C-alpha cells in the first residue's frame, strides 16, 4: 500500500531509489516518482510503472533523494497526483504512505493563507504545512506539521540545500537501513536487501533526522535509542530465480517453506507459544482474527484446533471485529498477518489488548508492527513473499497452526505420533502436486474461457474453496465464488449451467459421500465439474466429473495443504492463459496499510 524510499550518502541517489522502488512495487504500482537534491531539488514523476519511469527520467544529479510507488487512496492515479509532493516554492518534497483524514480542512486553511496546490491528494498538505512552520529547522517544522495531522503516515521529507532527510511514522511502517557513510529508508526491508542487512525499525510517533553518517530519533521531543536488527532474508530470495513470475516461484518454494516452517520445531509437538487467557488463566476458547488469505488460514485453523484441542474456536475478519467484537476471559487470541502491517488486523490487535486479552501473532515479517504489538510472535519463516497474491505464506501459516494445535493436542499419544509423522511428509506430498503441474496447466487453459466459476468444499476444505476462489478472482479477473458444498442448492444453483464450471474438493473424510452427491446435483444442472481428488479415487470420480486432478493421499486433516497448492497453480495458469499481469493485479497492493 504505497512504498516509500529514501537515500542519503555518496552514490547518485537516483540509481539507488529506482532499485529500491523496483523491489517495493508490490506495495503499489499505479504511479511513481523521485525527488533528488543536488545543486537544486529536482522531481520526476508519472502515472507509470517504475521501469518505465527509470527509462524516461532525465539524470537527476544528487546524493540525497526520496521516492514513492503509489497505490491510490485519495485522488486517481495521474502524473500530478503521483508523489513526491512539493511546497509552493518547490524546495520541500514529501513522500507519504498512509491517509490524512483532516486534509480537506487543512487544505482550506492553507489555501486561505495563499498556498498553491497542484494535485488532488491528501499528502499535498504536508509540504505546505512544513513550509508554513519552517523557521530554519526542518525537523521542528515536520514535528509542528504532523501535530496538525489526523490519520496515519510514514513520511520522508527532503529539503533543498539541507544535507539530511527527516522521517516520521505513525500507523505505517518505516525502516532505516544502515550503511557505511550512507543510510537508506524504506517502507519495508525487501527494498533494502541489496544494500544493507542492518536495520532500525522506527516506532509509532518517532521522528528521525538522518544524514549520511548519523541517525537521531526523537519521540515527543526527547531523544530515543532504537535497537539495530540483523536481516536474515537474502537478495536471492527476493529475485525470480528464472521463473516467469514471483507467484510461480513462490508456489514452487512451498516444499522448502514447509520444511523451514517446521524446522525450528524438531522435537515432537513442543509448544510454539504459550496460549493463556487474560491474567494467565487457562484457555477455554480461542479467537482468531485476520484478513483475506490469512483469514482463510484462520478458518482452516478453526477446524484443526477444534479437532485437536477440543475447545471452541471463533474466527473473525479483523476488519469487522473492530466494530463490535467481544472477548470472554479464558479466550486466547491469535492474529494472523503475512506482512504484519495490515491496518485492520493491527486495529483488531490493539482492541484485543485494550480488552486485556493476550494476543499471539503469526507473521512472516520480523520487526513488523504486529510482532511488536502482540504478546508473543511465531514467525512463519516463508522468506520474502513478493507476489501480491499470497501462496507460500498461506501454506506456512497453516503449518504453524497445525504445529500449534499438535503441541496443545488432546488426542491420544498414538494419534499424535501419526499426525507428527504425517506433517513431516507434507513437503514430499506438495512436491508430488507440483509434479502434476502440466495437467493443472491444461485445466487452467480450459478454465480461462469462462467468466464465472464456483469452488466447493466441505468441512476443513470449505475455507480452501474460499481461498481458491479468491486466488482466481485476484489474478485471473474471473468472478469466482467459494461455497460450502451443501449451500449451493440454497440459492447459487440458479446460476449453474454449461457456462459456469464448478471446482469440487473431494476428500476421504466424513464429507466424502455428501460431496459426491453435490457433484451429481451440479452435473444434472449442466455445469462442467473439475474435481480435485485423492489418489485412488480418480476412477470413481472420473465417471462424475469432466476433469479430475489427482493429489497424493494425505491424512484428511492435512488435505488443505495439497488441495490449496492445486488451486494456486490452477489460478496461476488460468491467469497466464488470459494474459493477466500475475504478480501485480490491477487495483491491488500487497500490504494493506489503510483501513
Ligand atoms: C490475497 C492476499 C490478501 C492478504 C490480506 C491480508 O492473495 O494476499 O488477501 O492475505 O490482504 O494480508 P496480511 O496477511 O499481510 O495481513
Amino acid at each position: 500500500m504505497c512504498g516509500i524510499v529514501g537515500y542519503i550518502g555518496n552514490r547518485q541517489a537516483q540509481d539507488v531509489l529506482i532499485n529500491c522502488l523496483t523491489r517495493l512495487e508490490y506495495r503499489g504500482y499505479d504511479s511513481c516518482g523521485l525527488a533528488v537534491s543536488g545543486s537544486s531539488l529536482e522531481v520526476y514523476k508519472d502515472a507509470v510503472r517504475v521501469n518505465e519511469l527509470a527509462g524516461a527520467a532525465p539524470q537527476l544529479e544528487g546524493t540525497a533523494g526520496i521516492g514513492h510507488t503509489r497505490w491510490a487512496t485519495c485522488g486517481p492515479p495521474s502524473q500530478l497526483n503521483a508523489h513526491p509532493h512539493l511546497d509552493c516554492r518547490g524546495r520541500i518534497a514529501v513522500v507519504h504512505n498512509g491517509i490524512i483524514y483532516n486534509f480537506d480542512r487543512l487544505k482550506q486553511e492553507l489555501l486561505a493563507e495563499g498556498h498553491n496546490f497542484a494535485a488532488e491528494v491528501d499528502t499535498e498538505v504536508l509540504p505546505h504545512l512544513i513550509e508554513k512552520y519552517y523557521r530554519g529547522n526542518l525537523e521542528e517544522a515536520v514535528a509542528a506539521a504532523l501535530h496538525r495531522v489526523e490519520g496515519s503516515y510514514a513520511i520522508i521529507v527532503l529539503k533543498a540545500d539541507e544535507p539530511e532527510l527527516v522521517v516520521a511514522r505513525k500507523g505505517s511502517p518505516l525502516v532505516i537501513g544502515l550503511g557505511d557513510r550512507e543510510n537508506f529508508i524504506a517502507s519495508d526491508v525487501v527494498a533494502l536487501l541489496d544494500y544493507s542487512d542492518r536495520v532500525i525499525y522506527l516506532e509509532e510517533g518517532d521522528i528521525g533526522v538522518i544524514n549520511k553518517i548519523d541517525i537521531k530519533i526523537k519521540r515527543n521531543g526527547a531523544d530515543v535509542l532504537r535497537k539495530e536488527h540483523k536481516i536474515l532474508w537474502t537478495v536471492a530470495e527476493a529475485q525470480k530465480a528464472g521463473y516467469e513470475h514471483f507467484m510461480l516461484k513462490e508456489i514452487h518454494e512451498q516444499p522448502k517453506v514447509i520444511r523451514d516452517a517446521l524446522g525450528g520445531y524438531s522435537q515432537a509437538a513442543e509448544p510454539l507459544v504459550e496460549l493463556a487467557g487474560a491474567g494467565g488463566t487457562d484457555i477455554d476458547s480461542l479467537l482468531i482474527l485476520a484478513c483475506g488469505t490469512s483469514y482463510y488460514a484462520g478458518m482452516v485453523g478453526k477446524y484443526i484446533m477444534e479437532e485437536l484441542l477440543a475447545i471452541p474456536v471463533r474466527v473473525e475478519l479483523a476488519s469487522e471485529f473492530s466494530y463490535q467484537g467481544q472477548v470472554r476471559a479464558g479466550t486466547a487470541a491469535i492474529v494472523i498477518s503475512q506482512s504484519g502491517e495490515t491496518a485492520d488486523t493491527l486495529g483488531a490487535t490493539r482492541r484485543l489488548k485494550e480488552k486485556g486479552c493476550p494476543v499471539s501473532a503469526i507473521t512472516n515479517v520480523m520487526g513488523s508492527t504486529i510482532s511488536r504489538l502482540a504478546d508473543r510472535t511465531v514467525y512463519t519463516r516463508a522468506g520474502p513473499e513478493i507476489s501480491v497474491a499470497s501462496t507460500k505464506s498461506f501454506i506456512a501459516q497453516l503449518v504453524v497452526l497445525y504445529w500449534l494445535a499438535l503441541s496443545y493436542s488432546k488426542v491420544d499419544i498414538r494419534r499424535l505420533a501419526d499426525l507428527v509423522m504425517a506433517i513431516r511428509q507434507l513437503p514430499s506430498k506438495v512436491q508430488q502436486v507440483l509434479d502434476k503441474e502440466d495437467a493443472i496447466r491444461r485445466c487452467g487453459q480450459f478454465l480461462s474461457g469462462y467468466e464465472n466459476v464456483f469452488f466447493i468444499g466441505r468441512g476443513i476444505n470449505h475455507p480452501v474453496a474460499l481461498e481458491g476462489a479468491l486466488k482466481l478472482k485476484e489474478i485471473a479477473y474471473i468472478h469466482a465464488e467459494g461455497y460450502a458444498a451443501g449451500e449451493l442448492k440454497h440459492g447459487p444453483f440458479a446460476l449453474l449451467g454449461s457456462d459456469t464450471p464448478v471446482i469440487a474438493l473431494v476428500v476421504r473424510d466424513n464429507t466424502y459421500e455428501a460431496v459426491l452427491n453435490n457433484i451429481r446435483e451440479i452435473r444434472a444442472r449442466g455445469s462442467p465439474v473439475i474435481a480435485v481428488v485423492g489418489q485412488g479415487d480418480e476412477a470413481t470420480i472420473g465417471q462424475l466429473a469432466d476433469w479430475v486432478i489427482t493429489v497424493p493421499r494425505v491424512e484428511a486433516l492435512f488435505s488443505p495443504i495439497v488441495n490449496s497448492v492445486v488451486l494456486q497453480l490452477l489460478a496461476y495458469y488460468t491467469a497466464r492463459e488470459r494474459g493477466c499481469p500475475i504478480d501485480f493485479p490491477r487495483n491491488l497492493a500487497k500490504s494493506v496499510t489503510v483501513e
Side-chain angles (χ1 to χ4, degrees):
M1 184 114 321
C2 295
I4 66 175
V5 296
Y7 173 75
I8 188 156
N10 297 315
R11 313 182 202 213
Q12 282 301 313
Q14 182 169 354
D15 305 337
V16 178
L17 296 172
I18 291 284
N19 188 30
C20 293
L21 283 179
T22 305
R23 294 217 183 281
L24 270 196
E25 245 190 330
Y26 63 85
R27 296 180 67 92
Y29 33 86
D30 57 42
S31 51
C32 55
L34 308 168
V36 172
S37 174
S39 51
S40 62
L41 182 71
E42 291 182 86
V43 174
Y44 190 82
K45 58 184 188 175
D46 208 347
V48 294
R49 296 280 300 268
V50 175
N51 64 342
E52 294 168 75
L53 188 94
Q59 185 62 41
L60 310 176
E61 297 290 336
T63 56
I66 58 179
H68 188 275
T69 178
R70 182 166 187 246
W71 185 87
T73 46
C74 171
S78 69
Q79 197 266 343
L80 281 179
N81 287 340
H83 298 216
H85 290 284
L86 298 172
D87 68 329
C88 295
R89 297 193 303 145
R91 297 186 57 78
I92 298 170
V94 177
V95 288
H96 167 223
N97 170 29
I99 291 196
I100 298 173
Y101 294 124
N102 60 338
F103 87 94
D104 217 13
R105 211 165 353 110
L106 293 170
K107 187 167 174 174
Q108 294 315 317
E109 171 188 317
L110 290 158
L111 281 170
E113 289 169 4
H115 289 261
N116 300 315
F117 282 74
E120 306 163 78
V121 298
D122 54 350
T123 302
E124 206 183 3
V125 298
L126 288 173
H128 290 282
L129 278 174
I130 296 167
E131 179 181 30
K132 168 173 168 157
Y133 291 114
Y134 186 76
R135 306 275 180 278
N137 182 315
L138 186 59
E139 181 202 346
E140 285 173 12
V142 171
L146 292 178
H147 202 65
R148 302 286 317 279
V149 163
E150 290 162 22
S152 66
Y153 50 79
I155 59 166
I156 315 177
V157 185
L158 173 69
K159 184 170 180 303
D161 303 332
E162 297 215 10
E164 61 190 27
L165 301 173
V166 177
V167 299
R169 82 157 272 183
K170 183 181 155 217
S172 299
L174 207 52
V175 56
I176 303 169
L178 309 174
D180 180 15
R181 298 184 159 266
E182 57 184 354
N183 285 307
F184 307 81
I185 304 125
S187 298
D188 77 51
V189 293
V190 171
L192 306 176
L193 294 176
D194 283 306
Y195 303 104
S196 177
D197 61 357
R198 297 185 299 128
V199 301
I200 290 173
Y201 296 102
L202 287 192
E203 302 275 347
E204 289 294 278
D206 283 355
I207 297 186
V209 179
I210 302 172
N211 62 34
K212 60 185 180 183
I213 315 252
D214 212 16
I215 295 165
K216 289 204 174 70
I217 302 173
K218 285 189 180 155
R219 191 174 190 181
N220 299 326
D223 290 338
V224 285
L225 276 181
R226 297 287 173 229
K227 243 176 48 198
E228 186 181 315
H229 296 262
K230 178 116 176 108
I231 298 300
L232 301 175
W233 290 353
T234 63
V235 185
E237 285 179 296
Q239 286 166 345
K240 280 193 203 154
Y243 284 94
E244 195 178 340
H245 297 100
F246 278 110
M247 183 179 179
L248 191 61
K249 177 196 174 213
E250 288 162 8
I251 291 172
H252 276 265
E253 280 174 351
Q254 292 178 123
K256 176 178 180 306
V257 163
I258 299 173
R259 268 193 294 273
D260 289 350
L262 288 173
Y265 321 122
S266 49
Q267 299 308 308
E270 72 195 35
L272 277 183
V273 284
E274 188 197 330
L275 292 176
T281 50
D282 283 348
I283 56 162
D284 58 15
S285 59
L286 271 177
L287 169 63
I288 303 179
L289 298 171
C291 295
T293 290
S294 298
Y295 170 70
Y296 296 140
M299 282 180 76
V300 177
K302 172 183 165 72
Y303 287 90
I304 304 169
M305 302 281 182
E306 289 192 339
E307 175 155 345
L308 296 181
L309 273 65
I311 55 172
V313 181
R314 204 172 109 208
V315 191
E316 291 205 18
L317 289 165
S319 51
E320 287 297 311
F321 180 76
S322 300
Y323 297 114
Q324 57 156 5
Q326 295 300 323
V327 195
R328 303 174 333 145
T331 297
I334 298 176
V335 290
I336 309 175
S337 173
Q338 186 283 130
S339 61
E341 302 295 348
T342 298
D344 289 318
T345 313
L346 295 179
T349 306
R350 289 190 187 101
R351 199 170 139 89
L352 287 166
K353 301 271 302 177
E354 279 160 24
K355 288 171 177 286
C357 180
V359 183
S360 301
I362 299 176
T363 184
N364 195 36
V365 181
M366 283 186 75
S368 55
T369 305
I370 214 162
S371 70
R372 279 173 286 131
L373 279 180
D375 300 287
R376 304 162 192 98
T377 302
V378 186
Y379 290 102
T380 46
R381 306 172 193 215
E385 190 176 65
I386 310 291
S387 159
V388 165
S390 278
T391 54
K392 64 175 181 173
S393 65
F394 174 72
I395 293 295
Q397 288 164 353
L398 294 188
V399 171
V400 166
L401 288 164
Y402 282 121
W403 202 261
L404 194 57
L406 288 173
S407 64
Y408 276 90
S409 169
K410 299 270 192 299
V411 299
D412 71 59
I413 190 94
R414 277 184 50 181
R415 169 122 171 94
L416 184 62
D418 287 347
L419 290 171
V420 170
M421 196 178 345
I423 201 171
R424 295 215 173 280
Q425 289 170 354
L426 287 176
S428 74
K429 302 287 183 186
V430 167
Q431 188 55 54
Q432 287 172 47
V433 176
L434 296 174
D435 293 344
K436 299 224 176 290
E437 192 165 2
D438 240 17
I440 302 172
R441 180 176 52 75
R442 283 194 297 277
C443 191
Q445 285 166 344
F446 162 77
L447 208 56
S448 68
Y450 293 90
E451 293 306 325
N452 297 288
V453 176
F454 280 96
F455 287 73
I456 58 166
R458 278 180 185 252
I460 198 167
N461 280 285
H462 168 218
V464 177
L466 298 174
E467 168 61 7
L470 176 61
K471 287 286 94 82
L472 195 69
K473 281 186 256 222
E474 68 178 327
I475 64 162
Y477 308 156
I478 291 177
H479 171 232
E481 300 228 26
Y483 259 87
E487 284 295 300
L488 269 198
K489 52 188 169 303
H490 297 289
F493 259 36
L495 296 173
L496 295 188
S498 59
D499 55 354
T500 311
V502 178
I503 297 163
L505 303 173
V506 190
V507 174
R508 276 278 179 183
D509 57 9
N510 55 355
T511 67
Y512 181 74
E513 291 299 339
V515 174
L516 288 199
N517 274 335
N518 296 140
I519 293 177
R520 289 187 191 98
E521 294 158 2
I522 290 161
R523 280 300 300 273
R525 272 84 193 165
S527 286
V529 173
I530 299 168
V532 181
V533 309
Q535 220 156 18
D537 285 331
E538 52 275 54
T540 322
I541 295 165
Q543 293 167 11
L544 301 175
D546 302 84
W547 289 78
V548 172
I549 298 172
T550 315
V551 294
R553 203 173 271 294
V554 293
E555 167 85 37
L557 194 66
F558 297 122
S559 57
I561 298 265
V562 285
N563 288 344
S564 298
V565 178
V566 171
L567 300 190
Q568 293 166 354
L569 284 171
L570 197 55
Y572 174 82
Y573 281 109
T574 306
R576 190 169 175 270
E577 187 66 20
R578 289 166 71 98
C580 298
I582 292 178
D583 284 333
F584 300 103
R586 70 181 171 217
N587 301 335
L588 298 182
K590 181 131 194 88
S591 185
V592 185
T593 56
V594 291
E595 287 180 353

